């Protein structure tokens, strides 16, 4: 469990990005941070990753090993000269692991994102969606306890995005990894998350903390409870946005 306790973040230029954020994330939850651009979602994610320090308040983790946290950004940020497998191997190599001992884990991570056949492919030969899959495999290969994702599907076309959302949801259900996922898409938050924190415009505050009751299953995207959740989130956002 992660406890975010009264966290505020003011940047050196005076911008107050986050104001008194408090939340508790339970193990195995899929949390979406939903809010308009500039409300501090990425800042909160960077604080959770330990990449930045809060100006006040604190964040408590059960453990704080670097290997326990995976990070996926909007850009896949792959090394262009390395194959998919070598890119996935990279974080393990940086931790002193050998290629031979980690090969099964690398191939398993690629298989988890549907890329078992593309281990030797270079990024230039992969589509945008496949590159993002490699990026997700690279984060999963260390079996992180917490996976932080910053609008990973925002640059993809809608068909690819829907497919990756479905596959990510499945990976989450299978692995039980705790995921915190930044998005400004109501539909994406409603589809993916088990719980949505709706954030107000800057300075970011938690305006609402809503647990999803959308039933699992292949019809999830068109189910009545999904549509109702989309409406609930959009009504909530309308209330927090200035007129
Ligand atoms: P979001 O992810 O919700 O779009 P961000 O967390 O990126 O929002 O940014 C929140 C606010 O903090 C924005 O107004 C942004 O301009 C500002 N901000 C982000 N990083 C910095 C920084 N390093 N220095 C100054 N202001 C920043």
């Amino acid at each position: 469990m992660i406890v975010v306790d009264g966290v505020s973040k003011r940047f050196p230029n005076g911008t107050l990005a986050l104001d008194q954020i408090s939340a508790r994330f339970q193990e195995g939850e899929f949390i979406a941070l939903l809010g308009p651009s500039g409300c501090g979602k990425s800042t909160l994610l960077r604080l959770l990753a330990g990449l930045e320090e809060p100006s006040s308040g604190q964040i408590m983790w059960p453990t704080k090993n670097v290997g326990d946290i995976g990070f996926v950004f909007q850009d896949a940020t792959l090394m262009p000269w390395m194959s998919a497998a070598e890119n996935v191997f990279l974080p393990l190599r940086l931790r002193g692991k050998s290629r031979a001992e980690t090969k099964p884990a690398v191939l398993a991570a690629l298989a988890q994102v549907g890329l078992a056949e593309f281990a030797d492919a270079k990024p230039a030969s992969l589509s945008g969606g496949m590159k993002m899959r490699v990026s997700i495999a690279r984060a999963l290969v260390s079996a992180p306890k917490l996976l932080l994702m910053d609008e990973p599907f925002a640059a993809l076309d809608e068909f690819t995005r829907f497919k990756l959302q479905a596959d990510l949801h499945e990976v989450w259900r299978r692995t039980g990894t705790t995921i915190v996922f930044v998005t400004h898409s109501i539909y994406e938050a409603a589809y993916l998350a088990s719980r949505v924190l709706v954030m107000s415009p800057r300075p970011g505050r938690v305006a609402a903390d809503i647990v999803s009751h959308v039933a699992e299953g292949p019809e999830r995207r068109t189910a009545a409870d999904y549509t109702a959740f989309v409406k609930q989130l959009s009504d909530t956002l309308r209330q927090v946005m200035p007129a």
Side-chain angles (χ1 to χ4, degrees):
M1 188 177 74
I2 302 159
V3 180
V4 180
D5 183 19
V7 163
S8 297
K9 178 70 183 179
R10 187 182 289 282
F11 287 106
N13 68 357
T15 302
L16 182 62
L18 296 173
D19 188 20
Q20 292 283 325
I21 302 274
S22 290
R24 282 162 182 265
F25 302 150
Q26 305 288 346
E27 220 178 303
E29 281 191 301
F30 194 136
I31 313 268
L33 300 179
L34 173 68
S37 277
C39 74
K41 304 182 293 296
S42 301
T43 302
L44 181 54
L45 211 63
R46 293 175 62 78
L47 291 169
L48 287 170
L51 296 170
E52 301 214 29
E53 291 294 318
S55 312
S56 59
Q58 55 180 338
I59 297 179
M60 284 161 281
W61 294 264
T63 61
K64 208 179 166 184
N65 295 326
V66 183
D68 287 343
I69 300 179
F71 214 118
V72 178
F73 301 92
Q74 185 173 332
D75 186 37
T77 60
L78 303 179
M79 303 294 165
W81 63 91
M82 292 182 178
S83 69
E86 284 165 342
N87 269 286
V88 173
F89 169 55
L90 191 59
L92 302 176
R93 189 173 102 187
L94 294 173
R95 266 183 272 140
K97 308 270 190 196
S98 79
R99 197 174 260 110
E101 74 176 306
T102 56
K103 193 171 176 195
V106 167
L107 294 179
L110 282 167
Q112 263 192 322
V113 298
L115 285 185
E117 311 294 312
F118 292 88
D120 297 326
K122 295 272 167 60
S125 68
L126 301 174
S127 68
M130 291 160 95
K131 284 185 206 152
M132 182 46 70
R133 287 174 188 276
V134 176
S135 179
I136 294 171
R138 184 181 53 194
L140 290 174
V141 74
S142 319
K145 292 202 168 60
L146 174 65
L147 182 57
L148 302 172
M149 308 186 85
D150 196 353
E151 301 201 41
F153 306 147
L156 303 175
D157 67 82
E158 189 158 88
F159 297 107
T160 308
R161 189 160 61 234
F162 276 23
K163 182 76 177 100
L164 263 78
Q165 286 168 351
D167 290 354
L168 175 66
H169 194 77
E170 191 49 38
V171 165
W172 168 69
R173 273 163 40 93
R174 216 170 39 230
T175 60
T177 310
T178 311
I179 299 181
V180 182
F181 188 106
V182 161
T183 182
H184 54 247
S185 163
I186 293 167
Y187 301 98
E188 186 164 67
Y191 178 80
L192 285 173
S194 62
R195 186 175 149 212
V196 180
L197 296 192
V198 180
M199 293 178 63
S200 63
R202 204 181 72 210
R205 298 192 180 97
V206 178
D209 184 343
I210 308 175
V211 172
S212 168
H213 297 291
V214 182
E216 298 296 344
E219 305 303 325
R220 189 171 163 86
R221 201 180 291 280
T222 49
D225 49 6
Y226 167 75
T227 315
F229 195 32
V230 167
K231 181 172 183 328
Q232 184 183 8
L233 293 176
S234 81
D235 288 347
T236 309
L237 267 175
R238 195 165 333 108
Q239 281 162 20
V240 303
M241 294 299 287

